[in-house]
Structures are given as structure tokens and as C-alpha cells.
């Protein structure tokens, strides 16, 4: 299995054609999202590459991940906003969502946002046989993947990741709302389906 922290942010999908970012969108209702390409580009090349590194990527791939606000940056933003008499946000997730969905990308560019890549859409297969291998590929292409994502064996491994994240939760530097457990073999993921 692969156990990954479930980041509490806003899901985003990034479509790359021939290694170049074409479209970035929110998940929306699961079928139709908002085009936020220009806003996503303001996160910077260290978070969302405009051009994928290397050359071993598929000609067309949708990279999925989570836009989030690191805890310290969120708190600093709210402190400064309050001192200036401006709007503050209730939590980092609302802050990330409101920041990414701005009409003006220049506003998004002033917001301290980060991105963890953790999945992909099309193609569903072809660049890795395992979830852990796919995370390694995403990192090789220039994405930040969560260093707490861990390949484990059996129930004991799954429980140990949960306990570790629970113990470290306040020190992670970002909000999570649980752990996502994935079967590592992608052919088994396909057979099992998704809920």
C-alpha cells in the first residue's frame, strides 16, 4: 500500500501536452471545474512547472494535486490583513480556495500557496506500474510530492502511518484531514475501482 496525508486544500488538475502546461482547473462538481490556469501559474515553477522536466513523460497527461496554504504563511497573511483592516480567512482551506479562484491572477500571486502532486488522470497507465513509482515520476518531472507519502506492507504498516501522522499533525506545517490509503499496484487499483 501507499499511505498519503490527505491535504486539506483545493483540488486542481493540470493538463500537460508534450510536456507543456495547457490548462489548470479546479475539480468543481467532479465533472466540470473552473479554469484557473493563469492563477495556478502564479504559484511558481517550483510548485507547478510550466514545462515538465526530463523527457520521459507521456505526450498527454493530467496531473492532479492539492493547492494549500502552509500554516505559518496563512497565519502571517491573516495577521497582516487584520492589521490593515482587510478581510481575514477562517482556515487555510478557505484561504487556498478563495485565493485560487480570484478573478485577477495578480491577487493570487500575492498569496502564499503551495501544491502537492499525488495523482493523474489521462493516461491512466503507461508511465508506472505502481503508485509509489508514479509519485517518483511526478517528482522527477518537477512536482513537489508529499515526503510523508509512504509505501507500507500490511495492516500494521497502515496503522503505523496513521499513528505517526496523528502524533505529528500539529507540526506538519499544513492542514490534513486524515490519511489516504492506496493499493500500490496500479493494475490492482484498476480492478478495484475508485470510490
Amino acid at each position: 500500500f501507499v499511505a498519503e496525508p490527505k491535504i486539506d486544500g483545493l483540488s486542481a488538475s493540470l493538463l500537460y501536452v508534450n510536456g507543456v502546461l495547457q490548462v489548470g482547473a479546479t475539480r468543481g462538481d467532479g465533472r466540470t471545474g473552473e479554469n484557473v490556469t493563469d492563477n495556478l501559474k502564479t504559484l511558481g515553477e517550483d510548485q507547478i512547472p510550466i514545462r515538465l522536466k526530463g523527457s520521459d513523460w507521456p505526450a498527454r497527461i493530467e496531473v492532479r494535486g492539492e493547492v494549500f496554504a502552509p500554516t505559518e504563511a496563512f497565519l502571517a497573511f491573516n495577521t497582516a490583513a487584520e492589521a490593515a483592516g482587510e478581510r481575514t480567512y477562517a482556515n487555510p482551506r478557505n484561504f487556498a480556495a478563495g485565493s485560487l479562484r480570484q478573478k485577477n491572477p495578480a491577487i493570487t500571486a500575492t498569496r502564499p500557496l503551495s501544491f502537492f502532486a499525488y495523482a493523474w488522470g489521462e493516461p491512466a497507465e503507461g508511465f508506472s506500474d505502481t503508485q509509489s513509482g508514479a509519485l517518483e515520476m511526478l517528482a522527477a518531472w518537477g512536482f513537489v510530492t508529499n515526503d510523508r507519502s509512504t509505501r507500507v506492507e500490511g495492516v500494521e504498516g497502515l496503522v503505523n502511518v496513521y499513528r505517526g501522522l496523528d502524533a505529528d499533525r500539529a507540526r506538519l506545517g499544513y492542514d490534513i484531514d486524515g490519511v489516504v490509503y492506496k493499493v500500490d499496484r496500479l493494475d490492482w487499483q484498476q480492478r478495484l475501482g475508485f470510490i
Side-chain angles (χ1 to χ4, degrees), residues 29-99:
D29 63 7
R31 290 174 114 6
T32 305
E34 292 178 66
N35 183 332
V36 289
T37 309
D38 291 338
N39 295 23
L40 286 165
K41 287 178 178 178
T42 70
L43 272 65
E45 284 276 333
D46 62 328
Q47 297 295 313
I48 296 178
I50 304 303
R51 177 175 287 283
L52 298 178
K53 293 181 181 177
S55 60
D56 54 352
W57 22 261
R60 183 179 176 93
I61 186 165
E62 175 195 355
V63 176
R64 295 178 182 167
E66 201 81 3
V67 175
F68 66 97
T71 308
E72 285 187 23
F74 166 72
L75 293 173
F77 179 91
N78 259 358
T79 299
E82 185 174 28
E86 298 172 357
R87 176 186 178 191
T88 60
Y89 289 82
N91 57 58
R93 191 215 177 279
N94 288 351
F95 175 74
S99 298

Side-chain angles (χ1 to χ4, degrees), residues 21-174:
L21 178 62
Q22 301 296 308
V23 177
T26 65
R27 182 174 53 201
D29 63 7
R31 290 174 114 6
T32 305
E34 292 178 66
N35 183 332
V36 289
T37 309
D38 291 338
N39 295 23
L40 286 165
K41 287 178 178 178
T42 70
L43 272 65
E45 284 276 333
D46 62 328
Q47 297 295 313
I48 296 178
I50 304 303
R51 177 175 287 283
L52 298 178
K53 293 181 181 177
S55 60
D56 54 352
W57 22 261
R60 183 179 176 93
I61 186 165
E62 175 195 355
V63 176
R64 295 178 182 167
E66 201 81 3
V67 175
F68 66 97
T71 308
E72 285 187 23
F74 166 72
L75 293 173
F77 179 91
N78 259 358
T79 299
E82 185 174 28
E86 298 172 357
R87 176 186 178 191
T88 60
Y89 289 82
N91 57 58
R93 191 215 177 279
N94 288 351
F95 175 74
S99 298
L100 190 61
R101 297 174 69 203
Q102 289 289 324
K103 299 282 187 215
N104 182 352
I107 295 173
T108 305
T110 68
R111 305 291 174 87
L113 299 175
S114 296
F115 180 80
F116 281 135
Y118 59 76
W120 58 95
E122 60 175 291
E125 54 191 53
F127 69 94
S128 180
D129 295 328
T130 62
Q131 178 72 27
S132 53
L135 291 175
E136 290 172 7
M137 294 299 295
L138 291 171
W141 297 339
F143 291 100
V144 178
T145 58
N146 193 296
D147 61 0
R148 294 298 295 258
S149 297
T150 310
R151 187 181 185 284
V152 297
E153 299 281 336
V155 173
E156 186 175 333
L158 296 171
V159 171
N160 286 341
V161 170
Y162 170 81
R163 287 183 179 144
L165 282 170
D166 190 45
D168 296 342
R169 191 174 194 159
R171 295 181 300 277
L172 290 174
Y174 48 84

